[in-house]
Amino acid sequence: MKILITGGCGFVGSNIAIYLKKRGFIVHSLDNLIRKGSKFNLKILKQLEIKNFNIDIANFKKISKLAKYDLIIDCCAEAAVEVSKHDIDRVINTNLIGTLNILKKAKKNNSKIIFLSSSRVYPINGGDKHLTNRIISKKLKIKKLFNENDRIEGPKSIYGFSKLSSEMLIEEFGYAFKTKYIINRCGVISGPLQFGKQDQGFISLWLWNHIIKKNMKYIGFGGFGHQVRDVLHIKDLCELIFLQIKKINKINKKTFTVGGSKKSNTSLKNLTHLCEKITGNKIKFARVKKTSIYDIPYYLSDNKLITKTYNWKPKKNLLDILNDVYLWLSTNKKSLKNYL
Ligand SMILES: NC(=O)c1ccc[n+]([C@@H]2O[C@H](COP(=O)([O-])OP(=O)(O)OC[C@H]3O[C@@H](n4cnc5c(N)ncnc54)[C@H](O)[C@@H]3O)[C@@H](O)[C@H]2O)c1
């Protein structure tokens, strides 16, 4: 099977590319290397003879000239939610027009599609106005898990909109042109080859700043670090994608919620505590009380449907993830400094 991975030099894309290449698939990547760390990941792809096409995903003319692929795994995005405040064009061109271009290419070649979507398709606060107060007062008991049946109406950030509208476009192609697809709505994902920034990839960022002893800030919701997210190990996601590829002729045109869920989640405060333990370093945290209009207090995935469909569950917990990211960051510390 011949596979094209868009965003193939990014964190998720490169991990999937390496995983599938090692299992005998022909894998190519499409990535314009706009993310700094992607040049680091490209070197690893090159060692494995995975070719990258340095093309902007918004450029259909160039995409249409690529060879035919049996499957396109769409991992290309401007993945930082906060970018949608100041660069709407970039978010829409990369995330939505990019998906449209991939769909047009898939239609022409009868390729299947696996799309990496996001939990941010749900509205801010999950529609619950009291969540923020409960986060600040620490009275939040996490009972709610989000799944495919949760409501999607309401503001969600331009990033969230770009992911949801991409999902909807994929469904339309599935309906009108019989394109076979799978959509994975993922919570936070982490693991080696992730380059954390202030607004994206917080697990990697937290560990890195502890390693280099750089002080940080708890931003929003009173500045206490009580926000909670689930975190999925990239290896668990790669195993799931492998299962999905094997069964894609039978199981397709489906949307799944995928995440670390109850097995693997953390508040920022707890993450700090674990980073201190793992690195042996303590850093200072300033408090920024004001909350970004796009931040959400917590998110945990309900994996019921994906577990039932593929008999898949995350195997790795938060400590596994932190230890693996730490190992990667600390062993590559010298060279990573140029990319972070
Ligand atoms: N990492 C997470 O926690 C997470 C969670 C949920 C969903 N996702 C989704 O998974 C996918 C991959 O995320 P990631 O964390 O690997 O992000 P990433 O930023 O590491 O990777 C994205 C890649 O796309 C490339 N790219 C960006 N704009 C491009 C353009 N216009 N043309 C060509 N290439 C371009 C970048 O260079 C980068 O290598 C995204 O669709 C994201 O929305 C990620």
Side-chain angles (χ1 to χ4, degrees), residues 63-72 102-112:
I63 290 171
S64 66
K65 287 182 187 146
L66 294 176
K68 177 183 160 140
Y69 291 90
D70 304 296
L71 171 71
I72 303 175
I102 291 310
L103 283 165
K104 288 197 286 186
K105 171 77 177 145
K107 174 176 174 273
K108 187 174 153 205
N109 297 148
N110 199 19
S111 323
K112 294 157 188 111

Side-chain angles (χ1 to χ4, degrees), residues 6-14 30-38 41 53-58 74-80 90 93-95 115-119 159 163 184-190 193-195 197 200-201 237:
T6 68
C9 301
F11 158 57
V12 173
S14 62
L30 181 158
D31 197 307
N32 70 353
L33 307 175
I34 196 167
R35 184 134 183 189
K36 228 175 162 188
S38 302
N41 294 342
F53 299 103
N54 190 331
I55 292 175
D56 188 325
I57 198 160
D74 190 0
C75 304
C76 179
E78 171 45 71
R90 166 152 169 69
N93 286 333
T94 300
N95 299 11
F115 179 65
L116 267 288
S117 190
S118 161
S119 56
Y159 168 78
K163 300 304 280 188
N184 293 313
R185 268 184 199 166
C186 301
V188 170
I189 311 160
S190 190
L193 307 188
Q194 182 172 47
F195 293 80
K197 301 189 286 177
Q200 210 260 341
L237 180 66

Side-chain angles (χ1 to χ4, degrees), residues 262-279:
K262 284 184 182 167
K263 185 174 176 85
S264 173
N265 60 75
T266 185
S267 68
L268 296 180
K269 195 93 191 235
N270 180 55
L271 179 61
T272 302
H273 174 64
L274 294 173
C275 288
E276 284 171 358
K277 268 187 148 174
I278 290 170
T279 63

